[in-house]
Amino acid sequence: MKNGGIKNVKREILSDNWYILNKYTYDYQKPDGSWETQEREAYDRGNGAAILLYNSKKKTVVLTRQFRMPTYVNGNKDGMLIEVCAGLLDGDNPSDCVRKETEEETGYKINNVEKVFQTYMSPGSVTEELFLFVGEYDDSMKVSDGGGAEDETENIEVLELNFDEAITMVSKGEIKDAKTIMLLQYAKLNGLV
């Protein structure tokens, strides 16, 4: 770590079943110059990329719906979440990742993508940095039904929604995914749709 106020960093792997859960113990220098020992857990699942597909002529966006166990155990009655297309980088650069994930999940083969944000979504406990993109689609780009990769047990439903309806779904609490809300708001603020 490059912070001069951090020293004696020790890492202990607590779990590496799905991704890696680490426990870090370190000395942290407080503003008054004194040192204290702190412990934190951090879940490392790699970095990811997500994209909002939009069609400015039809005034639509393509989103996905899939089951998310963490939301289910935290009060989401059916565990289903509406999201933008996203995936882990898995060694790809972010723009290649979103193009690949777009085709797998939505069935649209897109070439032109624009990076609009780079963000940590849950920096208190997850190491993931997310690269957020937008990309315009049209019906001629549809090459398959999408739905996700068979070997990844995703079972993704592809949704093409009117843009104003998607914005209303955010205000009604029907879309709760942070990356999706950020990208829909970006599209609204920048007049993409």
Side-chain angles (χ1 to χ4, degrees):
M1 296 192 169
K2 298 177 183 168
N3 183 334
I6 304 287
K7 65 181 182 180
N8 301 325
V9 178
K10 295 179 189 91
R11 180 179 74 125
E12 175 187 354
I13 296 175
L14 300 178
S15 173
D16 64 357
N17 183 38
W18 187 250
Y19 295 108
I20 299 172
L21 178 61
N22 292 300
K23 176 182 175 183
Y24 291 95
T25 304
Y26 54 92
D27 294 328
Y28 177 82
Q29 189 171 31
K30 299 188 312 186
D32 68 5
S34 65
W35 291 87
E36 70 182 358
T37 300
Q38 296 183 353
E39 293 180 342
R40 297 291 187 271
E41 291 180 5
Y43 191 60
D44 184 354
R45 59 184 304 266
N47 295 328
I51 186 167
L52 175 67
L53 298 176
Y54 69 93
N55 184 307
S56 56
K57 291 186 177 101
K58 290 179 13 178
K59 307 240 182 274
T60 55
V61 292
V62 171
L63 301 176
T64 65
R65 181 186 343 233
Q66 63 182 307
F67 179 76
R68 296 297 198 182
M69 178 55 108
T71 74
Y72 178 76
V73 298
N74 195 25
N76 183 4
K77 202 172 2 177
D78 64 2
M80 300 302 282
L81 207 61
I82 297 172
E83 306 174 53
V84 291
C85 173
L88 293 176
L89 298 185
D90 293 330
D92 290 334
N93 71 53
S95 57
D96 288 343
C97 173
V98 291
R99 283 192 283 273
K100 179 184 77 170
E101 291 293 332
T102 296
E103 189 170 342
E104 280 180 12
E105 293 188 5
T106 70
Y108 287 94
K109 186 174 181 70
I110 61 169
N111 292 314
N112 298 322
V113 299
E114 177 188 353
K115 184 178 134 195
V116 295
F117 296 117
Q118 192 169 329
T119 182
Y120 294 100
M121 297 299 289
S122 194
S125 60
V126 180
T127 62
E128 179 183 41
E129 187 172 20
L130 213 78
F131 299 83
L132 301 179
F133 292 81
V134 293
E136 190 154 15
Y137 76 96
D138 64 47
D139 293 339
S140 71
M141 297 174 179
K142 188 78 167 165
V143 295
S144 74
D145 291 334
E150 281 292 321
D151 62 335
E152 294 180 13
T153 63
E154 293 176 310
N155 302 307
I156 295 169
E157 178 185 358
V158 180
L159 308 172
E160 184 175 40
L161 302 173
N162 174 279
F163 179 70
D164 290 334
E165 177 187 355
I167 293 294
T168 299
M169 291 171 77
V170 170
S171 65
K172 288 182 173 180
E174 296 170 10
I175 294 177
K176 294 183 176 185
D177 176 64
K179 65 187 176 296
T180 303
I181 293 169
M182 289 170 64
L183 285 169
L184 286 169
Q185 289 177 341
Y186 176 87
K188 178 98 173 151
L189 290 171
N190 290 279
L192 296 183
V193 182

